Amino acid sequence: MEDQASSSPDKSTNNKPRITWSDSYSKAHLAIDALAAILPALPPALSASETPAASLLQDPEVATQISQLFRRPDSGAVTDNLCAWLYDTFHSSEPDLQLVILRFLPTLAGVYLSRAGLHKPLPGFESVLLAIYAHETAARNGQAITVSIPDLAHSSIYHETKQTAKNSSTELHLGVVSASLEPYGTVRSTRRARIVGVALELYYSKISQIPVGSKIEFCEFCKIWSGQEDQNNGDGASTANDSQKVEKKEGRGGRIILPWEILQPILRILGHCLMAPEKNEELFQAAFSACRCLQARALHDINAKVILATGSLVKLAEMAIDPAAAAVDHTEISMSN
């Protein structure tokens, strides 16, 4: 671009300041030009946009076309041009463009995890997931994310304890939100859950900027992964069942193994979809249905930790639907004859 940053107004144009484009603008337009060679039809408005990265992030037509390309039987191969575009665009180091790539993570991860059990090589998908994982590893310097948990064995300004502490100092009790990261160059079956989980953790950290359509896609894949139907919602059960039939018909499977490394970020994302301040009814219902499906899966697997977590989300959603239920004091002794 010829025009660089300038703060002085152009006197020949009625004292209006000259428009200056940053390097991020140029990179966004280069990404759009590269994407135009991959998609069947790129909306013309994108090329003329003064905020190309934001327009690319929010464009529903582009999202639909990319989602359809992800779902093709040959997607994720080493020759997949869309995966190459995602990889190169994420490595641009532009936060706005990286956010665009995260917007498509639910569909990419959804199709990838559903096909991974078929033992089919998917180097295209894995290259994108490894790029996101490497970015997080560098950003966190490989360190774990922890939170401090209060220790009730020691007195505080809120309570006193009769238990005698072993020493006068208060021990530090830490809860691990995300374990430490090791650099990986390839995706193996033993690493897959960790790599995908870290990508979902990054997605969650940016979720307030992610379009609603991406979050709804994520909820739909959660229902497919659970392998369960939503028995409490006829429409949701039908949608989940139909989606699973389509997935199986196209050779992508349905129910997958859900270790805690993947479930933990999944539940955080669903929690946001349920309780975010900017409530969207369609997103709320999709997340509510996904939580019920995951709860049914946890009950089927007899997984106590997941039963507690999913049950809590379902209860919170029910209280949001019927606030009167939250006002009930279950410790109150009812009087009757």
Side-chain angles (χ1 to χ4, degrees), residues 21-330:
W21 305 119
S22 65
D23 190 48
S24 59
Y25 173 88
S26 302
K27 289 182 178 181
H29 268 291
L30 288 173
I32 290 174
D33 292 341
L35 186 61
I38 300 172
L39 299 185
L42 194 71
L46 284 180
S47 299
S49 175
E50 294 185 0
T51 55
S55 300
L56 186 59
L57 175 68
Q58 299 291 342
D59 195 290
E61 185 177 344
V62 170
T64 299
Q65 292 185 50
I66 289 180
S67 179
Q68 291 173 347
L69 290 177
F70 275 145
R71 296 169 186 271
R72 294 195 317 183
D74 60 342
S75 64
V78 68
T79 56
D80 191 327
N81 292 329
L82 179 57
C83 289
W85 179 84
L86 293 168
Y87 179 88
D88 293 337
T89 304
F90 192 84
H91 275 292
S92 67
S93 299
E94 286 295 329
D96 291 342
L97 289 177
Q98 290 179 337
L99 188 63
V100 171
I101 305 307
L102 291 178
R103 183 258 177 268
F104 303 113
L105 181 61
T107 307
L108 185 151
V111 175
Y112 171 70
L113 289 176
S114 297
R115 293 181 183 176
L118 303 177
H119 305 291
K120 179 181 178 180
L122 299 167
F125 290 150
E126 291 176 349
S127 66
V128 180
L129 291 170
L130 283 170
I132 297 174
Y133 179 86
H135 169 82
E136 270 296 271
T137 302
R140 288 166 44 179
N141 196 26
Q143 300 298 314
I145 299 176
T146 60
V147 293
S148 179
I149 301 175
D151 180 12
L152 297 180
H154 294 79
S155 298
S156 70
I157 60 174
Y158 302 105
H159 81 292
E160 292 184 359
T161 178
K162 296 180 180 179
Q163 181 178 349
T164 303
K166 294 180 180 180
N167 52 61
S168 58
S169 63
T170 301
E171 296 179 0
L172 184 63
H173 292 258
L174 297 177
V176 178
V177 176
S178 179
S180 58
L181 302 178
E182 299 179 10
Y184 293 141
T186 59
V187 179
R188 298 179 181 175
S189 58
T190 55
R191 302 172 179 172
R192 183 178 297 122
R194 183 62 178 144
I195 291 171
V196 175
V198 169
L200 292 177
E201 288 173 2
L202 181 59
Y203 179 88
Y204 172 72
S205 69
K206 307 292 183 182
I207 197 166
S208 61
Q209 305 173 60
I210 300 291
V212 171
S214 174
K215 302 173 192 177
I216 293 176
E217 289 174 0
F218 177 81
C219 295
E220 293 302 319
F221 271 106
C222 286
K223 291 189 281 188
I224 293 170
W225 293 338
S226 72
Q228 304 292 319
E229 295 183 9
D230 185 358
Q231 302 296 337
N232 298 317
N233 187 331
D235 295 337
S238 176
T239 302
N241 196 33
D242 292 344
S243 299
Q244 290 175 26
K245 288 180 179 179
V246 171
E247 296 291 320
K248 291 177 181 178
K249 182 178 179 180
E250 296 181 4
R252 294 197 296 272
R255 172 190 170 107
I256 66 170
I257 298 174
L258 289 172
W260 186 244
E261 292 168 309
I262 292 180
L263 268 172
Q264 192 176 33
I266 283 177
L267 295 176
R268 289 183 207 153
I269 295 169
L270 292 178
H272 168 87
C273 296
L274 288 173
M275 310 306 295
E278 304 82 12
K279 186 174 179 180
N280 179 283
E281 186 61 28
E282 183 181 2
L283 176 60
F284 178 87
Q285 293 299 334
F288 191 15
S289 180
C291 288
R292 286 192 293 238
C293 289
L294 289 173
Q295 184 185 37
R297 168 68 179 272
L299 290 168
H300 179 273
D301 295 346
I302 317 179
N303 188 326
K305 183 193 295 186
V306 183
I307 290 173
L308 178 61
T310 54
S312 299
L313 287 177
V314 169
K315 188 62 178 177
L316 285 171
E318 291 173 346
M319 292 166 60
I321 294 173
D322 183 12
V328 177
D329 184 359
H330 295 284

